[in-house]
Amino acid sequence: MVSSPLRIAVFASGSGSNFQALAEAIAGGGIPAELALLVCDRPEAKVVRRAEALGVPTLLFRPKEYASREAYEREIVARLEAEGVELVVLAGYMRLITGILLNPFYGRMINIHPSLLPAFPGIGAVRQALEYGVKLTGATVHFVDGGMDTGPIIAQQAVEVLDGDTEETLAERIHAAEHELLPRVVRWMAEGRIKLDGRKVTVAKEVGP
Ligand code: GRF
């Protein structure tokens, strides 16, 4: 049976290195998915230029131009539905989301976060880990729920904290881990191997040829 590629929207507000890593992994083959849309709330963000270069359509919006968060989210949901988006990937999207966006995509919306959750949720996760003095941190991909980085965890990758690390050097190694972790999870999603049951996520074994 040949099924059509999973249609993905990435939400990002900044550099978009995870967007780029995902695009490259999909282009490299082996992930039955396609990037249908980039959603970005900052027209000047680098990720917008990356999407342009890759030919990925972009929905750009300026939150200030809307009466409320719900108002722009309604517009986003309409576009996601029009584009037939099946999976939403939050990769550095710096906005809280409401039920308007979350509810239609619950179980089909994932986020990448630069720590081993539940440690160090929220902003500044790399700095929080350094200041706390942990020896191991990393990256987490999880389903999005109504909380701040609280949803069911799909996969994590550990990164060692080295003596002398600065926020920059540690963030760089965490980014490298993210660029492997996110495409791997998206591949599992595209292959329909992820099962969500309450807070527990299981990944079915790969079926051989
Ligand atoms: C990543 O560290 C991700 O975990 C966090 O935001 C950062 C985005 O980086 N949510 P980039 O824009 O993908 O380079």
Side-chain angles (χ1 to χ4, degrees):
M1 192 187 81
V2 181
S3 54
S4 53
L6 187 77
R7 289 180 63 75
I8 299 174
V10 176
F11 285 44
S13 305
S15 156
S17 71
N18 280 287
F19 169 81
Q20 180 90 34
L22 188 55
E24 284 171 10
I26 290 171
I31 303 180
E34 59 192 338
L35 289 183
L37 191 66
L38 169 74
V39 176
C40 182
D41 58 320
R42 289 188 190 151
E44 71 287 359
K46 185 170 174 188
V47 69
V48 175
R49 298 200 299 276
R50 294 188 196 261
E52 214 172 333
L54 290 161
V56 175
T58 300
L59 168 58
L60 271 178
F61 67 100
R62 288 185 177 78
K64 279 195 191 130
E65 293 175 0
Y66 294 80
S68 65
R69 189 173 285 150
E70 285 80 359
Y72 65 70
E73 286 192 351
R74 261 184 220 108
E75 215 171 281
I76 293 171
V77 169
R79 179 73 184 269
L80 294 175
E81 284 168 357
E83 298 279 357
V85 167
E86 300 161 289
L87 174 68
V88 170
V89 176
L90 306 184
Y93 179 62
M94 302 302 285
R95 306 216 149 252
L96 294 174
I97 65 166
T98 77
I100 299 280
L101 179 57
L102 174 59
N103 296 341
F105 284 94
Y106 186 79
R108 300 188 297 141
M109 182 183 286
I110 63 176
N111 178 50
I112 183 152
H113 182 78
S115 76
L116 295 177
L117 290 170
F120 314 125
I123 57 164
V126 178
R127 184 177 30 79
Q128 290 184 55
L130 262 185
E131 284 173 0
Y132 196 96
V134 290
K135 301 298 184 195
L136 208 55
T137 183
T140 301
V141 178
H142 63 91
F143 282 109
V144 177
D145 67 4
M148 171 75 91
D149 303 321
T150 51
I153 290 172
I154 304 170
Q156 297 184 296
Q157 194 152 316
V159 172
E160 213 178 325
V161 181
L162 305 176
D163 291 344
D165 256 339
T166 62
E167 196 175 335
E168 289 67 37
T169 59
L170 182 55
E172 198 176 314
R173 296 203 306 290
I174 292 175
H175 260 111
E178 290 184 330
H179 298 163
E180 290 176 15
L181 185 66
L182 184 61
R184 191 183 318 142
V185 171
V186 168
R187 179 165 63 79
W188 294 341
M189 294 288 298
E191 292 170 348
R193 289 163 55 197
I194 296 186
K195 194 169 138 241
L196 172 60
D197 181 10
R199 279 209 63 85
K200 291 280 162 57
V201 177
T202 46
V203 184
K205 288 212 162 51
E206 205 158 0
V207 187

